[in-house]
Amino acid sequence: MRYLTARVEPAADAFHPLGRELSAEPSIEREAIHHVELLDDETVLLFAEGSGDRDRYEEIMRDSEYVADYLVSGEERWTAVSQFEPTPLARRTLELQRDAELVVETPIRFDADGALRVTYLGSDAAFRELYETVGEDADVAFEVLETGEYDPSEAPLTRLLTVRQREVLEVAVETGYYRTPREATLEDVAERVDVAPTTAGEHLRKIEERVFGALVA
């Protein structure tokens, strides 16, 4: 089995009929998606996590013509199960996941700008069909970040990184760059991976930004 990690940036309400309204609401933070499924009645079941003003979230869901039902649990950081009418693109994508035997690794995290970082599991043929369905839609920016053989023992956080970033991180850990007190310099890391110290530093800053961003999301 193979994996494909992509950065998916839908325009407006391309994936969720309330995407624009939820993203624009300053009192609500969309944290993660833990499960999404197209039901037999052609509605979508979504299990998501959010934070902020739960009452405002419930108000948006209650007033929407697209939402058939919803349930929210928790206070400042809460989970929500909702059933709603999908957008055309969401329906096509979920049908593809079902018919082409694509599996989405969860949770799906939101980047700071609202884009999704999604890892799909499946075959190269299924990935090509996914790209044809989503990647060519004018309402979605679909950027493939990495693809390769899926290793179930690999931590999901490491798939946030490119192959080169993982190599730099492994060297930094092995040489003691992250130990206290520090046992290696940036120059030591750079020499091991055969790049300039400034390039090694840039790699490590990007690694830290992605990993720490995912941990606090």
Side-chain angles (χ1 to χ4, degrees):
M1 181 180 294
R2 293 178 61 78
Y3 75 90
L4 180 148
T5 299
R7 187 177 188 275
V8 184
E9 186 175 1
D13 301 329
F15 275 151
H16 193 301
L18 299 177
R20 186 203 311 265
E21 189 171 2
L22 291 171
S23 296
E25 175 53 57
S27 66
I28 295 173
E29 192 72 32
R30 303 170 78 188
E31 302 286 356
I33 296 172
H34 292 274
H35 181 76
V36 59
E37 179 183 358
L38 184 65
L39 302 178
D40 291 340
D41 64 0
E42 296 300 306
T43 61
V44 170
L45 181 69
L46 181 71
F47 175 37
E49 182 181 357
S51 61
D53 191 338
R54 169 181 163 173
D55 291 338
R56 177 58 181 144
Y57 175 82
E58 292 193 70
E59 181 183 4
I60 292 173
M61 301 300 283
R62 183 173 59 249
D63 294 344
S64 173
E65 63 180 310
Y66 302 105
V67 177
D69 202 1
Y70 69 92
L71 176 66
V72 186
S73 176
E75 296 303 328
E76 291 186 5
R77 195 176 183 103
W78 30 264
T79 55
V81 178
S82 58
Q83 182 182 1
F84 57 86
E85 296 289 335
T87 64
L89 179 59
R91 180 183 288 108
R92 293 200 306 272
T93 305
L94 291 171
E95 286 175 343
L96 175 63
Q97 290 176 19
R98 180 183 61 198
D99 299 340
E101 297 184 349
L102 274 175
V103 176
V104 175
E105 187 174 69
T106 56
I108 302 170
R109 300 289 183 182
F110 289 88
D111 282 350
D113 61 358
L116 297 168
R117 193 174 295 269
V118 189
T119 294
Y120 299 91
L121 311 179
S123 64
D124 285 336
F127 295 156
R128 284 193 295 271
E129 193 172 352
L130 171 69
Y131 187 81
E132 291 171 0
T133 300
V134 180
E136 297 180 359
D137 193 292
D139 290 330
V140 179
F142 188 89
E143 178 189 1
V144 176
L145 301 177
E146 189 175 5
T147 184
E149 291 297 325
Y150 176 67
D151 181 356
S153 65
E154 185 179 63
L157 276 179
T158 64
R159 282 193 284 278
L160 295 173
L161 310 177
T162 66
V163 172
R164 186 57 163 166
Q165 287 171 341
R166 289 202 295 268
E167 179 185 357
V168 174
L169 179 60
E170 287 172 4
V171 169
V173 172
E174 288 172 1
T175 57
Y177 181 79
Y178 284 111
R179 292 189 190 127
T180 304
R182 184 164 284 171
E183 298 178 2
T185 65
L186 198 56
E187 287 73 16
D188 294 329
V189 176
E191 183 179 356
R192 284 277 302 272
V193 295
D194 196 24
V195 297
T198 54
T199 303
E202 183 179 353
H203 278 308
L204 291 175
R205 283 192 296 274
K206 288 182 178 179
I207 290 166
E208 291 161 3
E209 180 183 4
R210 287 190 177 183
V211 173
F212 293 157
L215 287 174
V216 302

